[in-house]
Amino acid sequence: MITVPEATKKIVERSRYLTEAMSKNLINYSSLARYIKPELEKMLLKPVSDAAILMALKRLEKEFQPKFVPLKIFSGAPEMIVRSNLVEFTMNNSAELRKNYQKLLNIYAGEQKYFFTLTEGVFETTIIVSKDLQQNIEHVLNGEQNISTITHLSAITIRLPKENISTPGVYYFFLKSLAWEGINIVEIVSTQTEVSIIFAEKDVNRAFAIVQTLFEEK
């Protein structure tokens, strides 16, 4: 039979925000105990005292201490670039599509004024480009099985220190704040020392403001 501590842990672990708040002593445990009590009693099929839940929460606190501090790899705010007027194509993978990769790259031609990413997954390939290239890209993709085309997108590209590849939680550092504010992420594209987060154009200004606040001096 499940115990009070086990049931409490299951409820709390469903929310990364809640566990993080507990690790930083930002939670009033008495209020939290009252909040989760109805669900906990439903799981246990019996009444449970506030004191028992409170004791279980206090025992959990040590388990939720963070094992990393991502900000240590940043000496200051990283370089960030915003690009607008982007289009995303997602196609089913095919042998013909792979043959056309070079044609797609030739359209981009490495010009810095354009945004261009091509990511081949196990089953599909996603291409995100500046709107100026849309017509030429569509010409090359003619005949391919298009899963979706999404317009009116923007990207925030963040340059990361090389320590990024051996530091846990760096992406979480950015993404948790965006999720907390209810900002939808359409796509994420990364290389070793940069990550591009793709948003609907209506969200990019607010997203950029949120990321900037992560590096404001307190």
Side-chain angles (χ1 to χ4, degrees):
M1 183 181 230
I2 190 169
T3 65
V4 173
E6 289 170 343
T8 301
K9 186 175 182 179
K10 280 189 175 183
I11 294 172
V12 171
E13 283 186 333
R14 285 202 309 250
S15 171
R16 290 305 306 164
Y17 304 119
L18 185 54
T19 56
E20 184 174 0
M22 287 180 65
S23 75
K24 296 178 180 178
N25 294 316
L26 299 177
I27 291 289
N28 182 309
Y29 286 169
S30 296
S31 297
L32 179 58
R34 291 192 295 271
Y35 177 74
I36 68 174
K37 183 177 181 178
E39 182 178 358
L40 200 147
E41 289 182 333
K42 188 175 181 180
M43 292 173 64
L44 297 175
L45 301 176
K46 65 178 182 180
V48 181
S49 69
D50 290 356
I53 303 173
L54 188 60
M55 184 177 297
L57 288 170
K58 288 183 176 179
R59 288 175 179 172
L60 280 175
E61 183 180 355
K62 292 182 180 179
E63 294 188 31
F64 296 140
Q65 293 302 313
K67 297 179 176 62
F68 56 84
V69 184
L71 264 178
K72 283 187 176 179
I73 72 169
F74 294 103
S75 58
E79 179 184 353
M80 293 184 284
I81 302 171
V82 178
R83 302 294 292 270
S84 298
N85 295 319
L86 307 181
V87 182
E88 177 187 274
F89 303 92
T90 300
M91 322 294 296
N92 276 332
N93 284 344
S94 71
E96 191 63 30
L97 176 61
R98 293 188 180 96
K99 290 179 183 177
N100 286 326
Y101 283 171
Q102 188 58 54
K103 291 182 180 178
L104 294 168
L105 291 170
N106 289 341
I107 292 171
Y108 161 56
E111 292 192 37
Q112 292 297 314
K113 65 179 180 178
Y114 296 131
F115 185 94
F116 182 100
T117 69
L118 187 155
T119 305
E120 181 180 336
V122 177
F123 303 107
E124 57 192 36
T125 293
T126 293
I127 304 163
I128 305 173
V129 299
S130 299
K131 186 173 177 57
D132 289 347
L133 303 178
Q134 181 176 357
Q135 188 173 354
N136 290 334
I137 295 292
E138 288 175 336
H139 178 73
V140 174
L141 296 178
N142 185 38
E144 296 296 331
Q145 187 174 354
N146 185 301
I147 297 173
S148 70
T149 299
I150 306 174
T151 59
H152 303 293
L153 299 176
S154 294
I156 299 176
T157 299
I158 304 169
R159 295 297 302 272
L160 303 172
K162 61 181 180 180
E163 292 83 2
N164 159 63
I165 61 173
S166 58
T167 303
V170 175
Y171 289 175
Y172 174 68
F173 171 67
F174 297 105
L175 302 184
K176 67 174 180 179
S177 299
L178 296 168
W180 185 264
E181 295 296 331
I183 295 179
N184 182 57
I185 294 172
V186 176
E187 197 73 67
I188 298 175
V189 183
S190 68
T191 63
Q192 189 174 67
T193 58
E194 68 181 60
V195 57
S196 292
I197 309 174
I198 314 299
F199 307 91
E201 285 184 354
K202 65 182 179 62
D203 293 327
V204 71
N205 288 337
R206 193 155 65 96
F208 186 77
I210 289 168
V211 173
Q212 279 188 315
T213 63
L214 298 175
F215 299 95
E216 290 180 354
E217 294 185 5
K218 307 300 182 184

